[in-house]
Amino acid sequence: MKPGKREKTVLLDEKGHEIRYKKKHETMREKLSAGFFLGPSFIGVMVFFVIPFFVVIYYAGIDNLINHESVGLYNYKNVITNSAFQQAAKNTATFSLLSVPLAIILSLVMALILEEEIPFKSQFRTFFLSPLMVPVASVVLIWQVIFDYHGVINDAITLYGGSPIDWFKSDYSQIVVVILFLWKNLGYNMILFMAALAAIPRDVLEVSLLDGASRFKQFWFIKLRYITPTIFFVGIMSLINSFKVFREVYLLTGDYPYDSLYMLQHFMNNTFRSLDYQKLSAAAIIMCIVMVIIIGILFIVEDRFGKDVEG
């Protein structure tokens, strides 16, 4: 060994193999194993989500599927100025602005009520969860029996001397669908809020009661802060479900319902049936941008309240 140089220390295992080489070999094997298991999922996401998304962006910027001539933002302008799209966007926004806050507030109120020691608590919880077990077709059948022109409600109205209402072809049509949406989703949201309320530290609530805090102050300053992440999650899920109400509306009223029930999904479905892929792709991109903005705003609000809880 030359003077001034240290002798290299090599650690060996019981079989005489270098430990550093062994660790590097094990790390490489773990990476290969992880890639082997994650590979199918990665390929599935690329094939069914990522690549189609870029295909939609491409379709939204061309003239037609034959010439493939770039038209810039013409398709987007064509969609935004389309009267059917404007009507569908207005109805969808109105429905979401009405149904989502109601879904959050009513389910939270029910969770607060069921948090108390009330009689038949388990039966009430089962009753509110029962709509989740009912198929969509059965729900539509129930609503047709209740709100049809010759349905139960109109029979009750005529019994007391009133005039029957064609609920699905009147200004009350969207209210009927809002009631349907709430009936389907309140139970699931309520269970989420009950779980969040049960996770609040009991000692914090007991200390607040000892300090003389009222039930309203306890809810506003403690419970509401702790369940903010759940409110955010319920809001996101309710918003997504409000866009999926097209299934029920379609089964109730068909392709071209009353004006107040013509949703964005109707516009997308009818555009697809007419094979206007350029307009369909542009509308999908616009919807995606709007949803990203809304969810981004909700993330900012949740982050602000979350920091308040941590503080």
Side-chain angles (χ1 to χ4, degrees):
M1 183 179 68
K2 296 182 180 180
K5 289 188 177 182
R6 294 184 178 180
E7 184 178 358
K8 183 179 178 181
T9 303
V10 178
L11 298 177
L12 302 176
D13 60 6
E14 62 278 1
K15 295 183 178 180
H17 299 137
E18 187 177 348
I19 293 180
R20 186 175 60 178
Y21 172 79
K22 183 178 180 181
K23 288 184 177 180
K24 186 184 296 184
H25 181 71
E26 290 178 353
T27 303
M28 182 62 67
R29 186 172 57 184
E30 291 175 357
K31 289 181 179 179
L32 291 175
S33 300
F36 177 76
F37 287 109
L38 294 176
S41 298
F42 177 78
I43 294 172
V45 170
M46 291 294 295
V47 171
F48 295 105
F49 292 96
V50 178
I51 295 177
F53 179 75
F54 285 104
V55 171
V56 168
I57 295 176
Y58 174 72
Y59 281 171
I62 62 175
D63 184 16
N64 54 63
L65 299 180
I66 299 175
N67 298 330
H68 293 271
E69 181 180 351
S70 178
V71 293
L73 300 177
Y74 172 78
N75 290 324
Y76 298 98
K77 181 181 177 181
N78 189 24
V79 169
I80 293 174
T81 57
N82 185 282
S83 59
F85 178 81
Q86 292 175 356
Q87 179 71 30
K90 178 184 175 182
N91 291 338
T92 304
T94 303
F95 179 80
S96 297
L97 289 174
L98 182 63
S99 60
V100 172
L102 284 175
I104 296 173
I105 294 172
L106 293 179
S107 57
L108 178 57
V109 170
M110 290 194 303
L112 291 171
I113 293 174
L114 292 179
E115 190 184 26
E116 304 295 330
E117 293 298 330
I118 60 174
F120 305 107
K121 181 176 178 179
S122 299
Q123 288 76 4
F124 276 120
R125 189 169 11 188
T126 304
F127 172 76
F128 288 127
L129 282 175
S130 59
L132 296 175
M133 299 178 287
V134 180
V136 175
S138 301
V139 173
V140 170
L141 181 62
I142 294 171
W143 244 244
Q144 285 177 337
V145 170
I146 296 175
F147 291 99
D148 188 72
Y149 188 78
H150 302 287
V152 175
I153 292 182
N154 281 338
D155 287 345
I157 291 175
T158 54
L159 183 65
Y160 290 97
S163 300
I165 302 172
D166 195 349
W167 295 97
F168 298 115
K169 295 181 181 179
S170 67
D171 295 334
Y172 303 103
S173 57
Q174 195 164 121
I175 297 177
V176 173
V177 180
V178 169
I179 297 173
L180 170 61
F181 173 81
L182 295 176
W183 183 73
K184 279 285 292 180
N185 293 279
L186 284 182
Y188 177 71
N189 295 345
M190 179 194 69
I191 292 299
L192 294 177
F193 280 127
M194 290 182 67
L197 291 170
I200 299 176
R202 298 293 100 184
D203 53 348
V204 175
L205 299 176
E206 292 172 359
V207 169
S208 66
L209 289 176
L210 292 175
D211 289 341
S214 62
R215 286 298 182 93
F216 175 77
K217 289 184 177 180
Q218 188 183 66
F219 167 77
W220 186 259
F221 293 104
I222 299 176
K223 292 183 178 181
L224 191 61
R225 297 297 191 269
Y226 274 97
I227 65 175
T228 297
T230 305
I231 294 176
F232 169 74
F233 178 76
V234 169
I236 294 292
M237 295 301 298
S238 298
L239 181 63
I240 294 173
N241 289 331
S242 70
F243 275 79
K244 291 162 57 178
V245 78
F246 165 75
R247 297 175 303 175
E248 290 81 359
V249 177
Y250 180 81
L251 292 174
L252 285 170
T253 58
D255 292 326
Y256 296 95
Y258 188 72
D259 289 345
S260 61
L261 288 181
Y262 189 76
M263 302 293 185
L264 278 172
Q265 295 91 334
H266 285 94
F267 176 81
M268 305 287 281
N269 186 60
N270 295 335
T271 305
F272 175 78
R273 292 180 64 181
S274 63
L275 302 180
D276 194 348
Y277 296 123
Q278 290 72 43
K279 184 188 294 185
L280 178 66
S281 300
I285 296 298
I286 293 173
M287 287 180 61
C288 178
I289 293 173
V290 172
M291 289 295 294
V292 168
I293 292 174
I294 294 174
I295 294 175
I297 294 173
L298 292 176
F299 265 111
I300 293 173
V301 173
E302 194 274 337
D303 183 65
R304 179 179 177 183
F305 279 91
K307 289 182 178 178
D308 185 31
V309 173
E310 292 174 1

